[in-house]
């Protein structure tokens, strides 16, 4: 049974009903409807921590989806799952692919910055301050781009940039 037909709580049921109504009344090609259905099922699985199922649905959503903007969100969500699984290199690949299709995706820039910052912290623990500084500088660049797109978001990143003297660079 597709995940969209499994309704575990009121919010899931409501979302599914609204999404199904929208799929019926909004004119769109069958490929777009198929992609949306897989994407919706992927989001549902992801929210429940069922990452393997979510990935499977996202990959299926990529097949019929041709719109670059919509593909960027699918790629971003795939990146989120890889980040959650600690697969940072894979996550970065998907965030970069999402940003190629949608450069105005501040959450992908933020997550890329978080991974760079994490790698900087790892370099410090390994006793390599030069590598750490390079990672931190890279994180700063991604955070600046994210903040430029969403100035009221990423307050902690803004504070880190100010504290480390990287905000005005």
């Amino acid at each position: 049974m597709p995940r969209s037909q499994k309704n575990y709580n009121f919010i899931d049921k409501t979302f599914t009903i609204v999404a199904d109504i929208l799929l019926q009344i909004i004119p769109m090609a069958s490929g777009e409807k198929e992609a949306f259905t897989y994407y919706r099922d992927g989001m549902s699985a992801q929210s429940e921590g069922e990452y393997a199922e979510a990935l499977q649905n996202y990959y299926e959503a990529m097949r019929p989806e041709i719109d670059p903007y919509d593909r960027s969100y699918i790629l971003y969500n795939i990146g989120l799952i890889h980040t959650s699984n600690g697969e940072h290199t894979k996550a970065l690949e998907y965030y970069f692919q999402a940003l190629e299709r949608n450069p105005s995706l501040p959450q992908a820039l933020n997550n890329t910055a978080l991974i760079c910052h994490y790698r900087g912290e790892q370099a410090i623990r390994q006793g390599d301050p030069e590598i750490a500084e390079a990672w931190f500088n890279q994180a700063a660049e991604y955070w600046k781009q994210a903040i430029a797109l969403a100035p009221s978001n990423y307050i902690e990143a803004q504070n880190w940039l100010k504290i480390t003297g990287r905000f005005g660079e």
Side-chain angles (χ1 to χ4, degrees), residues 6-129:
K6 297 177 188 175
N7 296 310
Y8 299 106
N9 63 47
F10 177 75
I11 294 172
D12 283 344
K13 288 178 187 178
T14 304
F15 176 76
T16 300
I17 291 168
V18 171
D20 287 341
I21 291 169
L22 289 174
L23 281 173
Q24 292 173 11
I25 63 173
I26 295 176
M28 61 174 74
S30 64
E32 292 172 322
K33 287 182 181 185
E34 180 185 8
F36 179 76
T37 300
Y38 280 117
Y39 181 71
R40 180 186 62 194
D41 289 351
M43 287 180 24
S44 178
Q46 184 176 354
S47 72
E48 294 172 14
E50 299 291 337
Y51 296 143
E53 183 181 345
L55 283 173
Q56 183 179 11
N57 279 295
Y58 290 143
Y59 294 139
E60 287 295 323
M62 291 291 287
R63 282 187 311 103
E65 185 57 69
I66 58 172
D67 181 76
Y69 184 81
D70 291 341
R71 286 178 73 87
S72 73
Y73 282 94
I74 297 168
L75 292 163
Y76 169 74
N77 281 328
I78 294 171
L80 277 178
I81 291 171
H82 289 300
T83 300
S84 295
N85 289 337
E87 299 168 327
H88 295 155
T89 301
K90 245 181 177 176
L92 286 172
E93 291 172 17
Y94 283 99
Y95 293 144
F96 290 142
Q97 288 181 49
L99 288 165
E100 285 174 13
R101 288 155 181 82
N102 181 2
S104 298
L105 197 60
Q107 57 268 49
L109 292 163
N110 177 61
N111 289 1
T112 300
L114 286 169
I115 291 171
C116 292
H117 187 271
Y118 173 77
R119 288 183 171 177
E121 289 176 338
Q122 283 182 314
I124 286 175
R125 283 192 293 276
Q126 294 169 354
D128 198 338

